[in-house]
Amino acid sequence: MLSVPAADGNPLAVYRNTPTRPRPDGATIVLVHGASVTADLWRLHTRHLTGRGFTVLRHDQRAHGHTPRGRAPLTVEQLADDLHHILDTLAPTGPLVLVGHSLGALVLQKLAALHPALLPRIRGMVLLSATAHGTSVLTGRSPRALLLAAGRSLTALTCTHAPRAVDRVRRRLPETHHFTLTPRPGTGPRGGPPPCRDGIRHTPTADLAALWQVLRRYRARHLPVLEQLGERLLLMAGADDRHIPAAHTAELADRLTVARLEILPRTTHALPIRHHALISARIAHLAAGPQPDAPRFPKDPSFPNVPLSEPSH
């Protein structure tokens, strides 16, 4: 449990898990969570990967968990710069496998664009629920999707234009409520990352609105850099994701000519939670490096009923 200062001096809460028996050729695996959760999202993945001999780094992104907002603006560029500081401090050399979910996937796309010198070190990258053009409140044309979009639009407008009023309501919610707002404890990690359900309990509504704008305005403008990863890049999505539809991830895959795409049926935006064993196996396969005569992504026998889609190209 470490604290790494960002460029603006903001302490970033980082959690480093090391294996009992490290692999001599193992990559450092870096796990980046999405909006409104914490590094606790990767708890089961970390257990699996350290058991396979890999060192794992994960952190609470700015304005989440044990990491305060700081003075810098909440932008995807800033979040990518935060991650670059962590890599410079804790993993300055050696191979890397980078994994991001939702907002975390956008951060990794931006990291590759801003720091292409990292590409030779990247043994693999896994983007979960990724998109090339940001997210939207409207994810379909069904009556249910339209009703959900109306509710999200109203919530986003209220949080953006009346954040203090929303904060007053949040402070009156029960302490166990997901959206309650409570005073931030002392900075820095205390006993590991807070549970995912506590990811935003210390985050003011104005910051939540800023994070929503990060997701809404994102545009992938440097895909040729990411494309240099070739078959080292894996995209995964849930077929029933209502936050970032699988079609958005498929569109990103279409723009990356050799990336692998897997869309898992009956799976929502909670892809990392529902299929943690499958995703961990994919990560470990990339982290182990090229293996002669081995399939690129062998089927995980613990998920016999999850069909793997063919590459989209």
Side-chain angles (χ1 to χ4, degrees), residues 109-110 112-114 218-227 255:
Q109 292 177 57
K110 184 59 68 173
L114 295 177
Y218 178 78
R219 298 293 183 271
R221 296 186 174 90
H222 304 283
L223 291 182
V225 175
L226 198 64
E227 197 169 29
R255 295 173 61 181

Side-chain angles (χ1 to χ4, degrees), residues 64-253:
H64 291 79
H66 287 307
T67 298
R69 159 71 184 266
R71 297 187 298 273
L74 273 177
T75 64
V76 69
E77 291 82 3
Q78 181 59 55
L79 298 176
D81 187 66
D82 289 346
L83 179 55
H84 190 247
H85 271 78
I86 291 170
L87 295 178
D88 268 355
T89 303
L90 300 179
T93 61
L96 301 168
V97 171
L98 306 177
V99 185
H101 174 241
S102 191
L103 174 62
L106 307 189
V107 171
L108 292 185
Q109 292 177 57
K110 184 59 68 173
L111 177 74
L114 295 177
H115 302 282
L118 284 174
L119 293 179
R121 295 181 56 198
I122 298 176
R123 188 173 283 179
M125 182 183 289
V126 182
L127 303 179
L128 308 172
S129 303
T131 179
H133 51 69
T135 188
S136 169
V137 295
L138 183 62
T139 59
R141 298 293 178 180
S142 67
R144 180 178 180 180
L146 293 173
L147 184 61
L148 185 62
R152 287 176 172 172
S153 295
L154 180 60
T155 300
L157 284 171
T158 304
C159 291
T160 300
H161 296 289
R164 293 183 180 178
V166 177
D167 282 347
R168 287 195 292 270
V169 173
R170 292 177 63 198
R171 291 188 186 99
R172 288 170 171 78
L173 291 173
E175 191 171 320
T176 55
H177 195 283
H178 177 69
F179 289 106
T180 190
L181 180 62
T182 61
R184 179 175 294 279
T187 58
R190 291 293 178 264
C196 282
R197 64 179 179 273
D198 296 340
I200 58 173
R201 65 186 298 121
H202 312 305
T203 306
T205 300
D207 293 345
L208 297 181
L211 287 166
W212 163 247
Q213 295 301 329
V214 167
L215 287 165
R216 187 179 70 85
R217 295 173 178 171
Y218 178 78
R219 298 293 183 271
R221 296 186 174 90
H222 304 283
L223 291 182
V225 175
L226 198 64
E227 197 169 29
Q228 294 179 41
L229 292 173
E231 295 184 359
R232 293 176 286 163
L233 179 61
L234 171 64
L235 282 70
M236 302 181 74
D240 299 329
D241 192 330
R242 294 193 178 93
H243 293 275
I244 298 179
H248 291 193
T249 306
E251 179 183 335
L252 176 60

Side-chain angles (χ1 to χ4, degrees), residues 52 97-99 123-128 229-236 258-264 277-291 293-301 303 306-313:
R52 298 283 292 269
V97 171
L98 306 177
V99 185
R123 188 173 283 179
M125 182 183 289
V126 182
L127 303 179
L128 308 172
L229 292 173
E231 295 184 359
R232 293 176 286 163
L233 179 61
L234 171 64
L235 282 70
M236 302 181 74
V258 292
R260 170 84 176 194
L261 170 67
E262 294 185 16
I263 297 179
L264 303 185
L278 177 62
I279 292 169
S280 296
R282 292 288 184 262
I283 297 168
H285 186 76
L286 287 168
Q291 302 172 44
D293 303 322
R296 280 188 300 168
F297 295 105
K299 187 171 182 179
D300 189 327
F303 285 85
V306 178
L308 304 182
S309 62
E310 292 300 319
S312 59
H313 321 290

